């Protein structure tokens, strides 16, 4: 799994227990998955269709740095399926894991649009073409 983004836990990210608010973390994950899928599918109209069960394994507190990892598990006709893990950067302890996030490429009418992709492409490879 490749870890793409790091977030620093600040006071505004905390719940009443003084730990990272789950909703904030899910917001970060959804945004990261969307950005990753938009870049892979080369379509800015890519949206979240499905997110599987969310498994909180540990927490994070103010001052911690977390990193968000994504891994492509499947290319569908109009979709991209990802797996996600968020971990504490310093301890490497897993905070949350999500087995399945499905992102869908849409056309200008909001309907699923085939993307024609079958494997991960890296920007550097696109630039060389």
């Amino acid at each position: 799994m490749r870890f793409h983004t790091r977030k620093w836990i600040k006071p505004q990210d905390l719940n009443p227990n003084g730990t990272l608010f789950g909703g904030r973390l899910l917001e970060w994950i959804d945004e990261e998955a969307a950005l990753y899928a938009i870049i892979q599918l080369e379509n800015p109209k890519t949206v979240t269709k499905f997110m599987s069960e969310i498994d909180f394994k540990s927490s994070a507190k103010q001052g911690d740095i977390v990193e968000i990892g994504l891994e492509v598990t499947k290319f569908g006709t109009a979709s991209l399926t990802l797996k996600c893990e968020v971990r504490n950067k310093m301890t490497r302890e897993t905070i949350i894991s999500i087995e399945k996030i499905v992102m869908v490429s849409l056309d200008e009418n909001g309907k699923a649009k085939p993307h024609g992709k079958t494997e991960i492409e890296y920007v550097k490879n696109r630039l060389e073409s």
Side-chain angles (χ1 to χ4, degrees):
M1 181 166 300
R2 296 179 67 140
F3 289 83
H4 301 275
T5 298
R6 294 182 183 125
K7 295 285 187 178
W8 189 20
I9 310 303
K10 297 179 245 175
Q12 62 265 29
D13 303 321
L14 304 178
N15 62 27
N17 189 45
T19 57
L20 178 60
F21 175 54
R24 175 78 67 193
L25 183 55
L26 292 174
E27 175 188 354
W28 293 341
I29 290 168
D30 191 38
E31 182 177 24
E32 185 69 17
L35 291 170
Y36 187 86
I38 287 166
I39 292 166
Q40 282 300 308
L41 303 180
E42 299 182 85
N43 181 1
K45 293 181 184 279
T46 299
V47 298
T48 308
K49 179 182 185 334
F50 176 83
M51 197 176 281
S52 70
E53 162 180 294
I54 298 157
D55 186 8
F56 286 92
K57 298 181 183 289
S58 67
S59 191
K61 59 186 185 312
Q62 184 176 333
D64 285 351
I65 298 169
V66 299
E67 51 187 1
I68 302 169
L70 293 171
E71 182 178 302
V72 175
T73 58
K74 179 182 173 190
F75 281 88
T77 304
S79 66
L80 178 66
T81 302
L82 304 166
K83 179 179 182 176
C84 177
E85 179 184 341
V86 179
R87 66 185 183 190
N88 184 304
K89 175 66 178 158
M90 307 315 260
T91 66
R92 298 280 198 251
E93 184 176 21
T94 299
I95 295 169
I96 190 175
S97 63
I98 303 173
E99 283 300 311
K100 188 175 183 182
I101 302 171
V102 179
M103 306 301 294
V104 177
S105 178
L106 302 178
D107 65 16
E108 57 281 344
N109 299 313
K111 302 291 183 194
K113 172 185 171 184
H115 51 67
K117 307 287 183 176
T118 58
E119 63 183 29
I120 297 170
E121 292 180 329
Y122 297 98
V123 174
K124 66 178 185 171
N125 295 339
R126 288 183 187 155
L127 294 174
E128 293 171 359
S129 301

